[in-house]
Amino acid sequence: MRPSDLAREHGLSTQAVRNYERDGFLPAAERTRSGYRVYTETHAAALRAFLALVPAYGHSAAGRIMRAVHADALDDALSIVDQGHAQLLRDRETLDAVRDAVDHLTAASEGAEPMPMTGTELRSHPTPLTVGELAHRLDVTPATLRNWEDAGILTPARAPLTGYRLYRPADVRDADLAHLLRRGDYPLDHISTVVRQIRTAGGTDALSAALDDWRRRLTVRGLAMLDASAHLSRYLSTWARHRGT
């Protein structure tokens, strides 16, 4: 096969296919005596696997998975896959916790007796976290948390003697929500507005609609992971045969 043959199947440019080979997403192609690349069904399967991995795990993770496969580091590749599934589960738990908060605030705004919040964050984090602990939990830097504080997203308490930031269960919930929305490319000022809606009884209808949209996005990502797993499994078999293992 020529680069154009692989490119045509997916509506790509031939240069994109060459770039994917250069970056290790495809195995190295053999060359003709005149220097032209020769691709095979193995390369076609690799390209299908990579392109299926992108919507499921993101471009960077998809590339790392393919490079790990080609480096005979299957455990590393599967670890990246596992991390993606763990993140999806965590996003679902965050949405459930935020939904609990919205229901709680809606009940309060309608004059009903507020029910205790039952979100995951209240069960998992009964005591305040330090800035380092929260940063580690979210896999962000402490500077990121301080930026969120400057934007009005987080309002941590301060330890009386040391002045250190202390993040209570509600702060952890807000940080989880901010982290989720940042991965969806929401700007900080938008996130700040959403978090303020969580903290008050107003505007929860709009927030509920936003959470419904996020639920749909998570469903799409979950289905993409299933599709990517099938493509990756097929490619692993093809790659093993190509290498004679």
Side-chain angles (χ1 to χ4, degrees), residues 2-21 25-26 39 43-44 46-52 54 59:
R2 299 166 300 175
S4 58
D5 296 323
L6 270 66
R8 189 179 305 111
E9 178 182 349
H10 305 283
L12 301 171
S13 68
T14 55
Q15 186 58 50
V17 174
R18 297 187 192 100
N19 291 345
Y20 291 157
E21 180 193 347
F25 307 159
L26 310 182
Y39 290 124
H43 297 90
L47 183 58
R48 294 184 196 111
F50 170 71
L51 293 177
V54 170
H59 189 279

Side-chain angles (χ1 to χ4, degrees), residues 72-84:
D72 197 25
L74 183 57
D75 284 345
D76 291 345
L78 295 179
S79 178
I80 299 169
V81 171
D82 291 343
Q83 291 168 20

Side-chain angles (χ1 to χ4, degrees), residues 6 41 52 55-56 103 177 204 209 223:
L6 270 66
E41 180 53 38
D103 292 344
L177 178 58
T204 53
L223 292 174

Side-chain angles (χ1 to χ4, degrees), residues 130-154:
T130 66
V131 64
E133 290 169 337
L134 182 57
H136 178 72
R137 180 180 185 275
L138 297 177
D139 194 23
V140 301
T141 65
T144 295
L145 296 180
R146 289 191 285 271
N147 287 339
W148 293 355
E149 183 179 344
D150 291 340
I153 297 169
L154 301 180

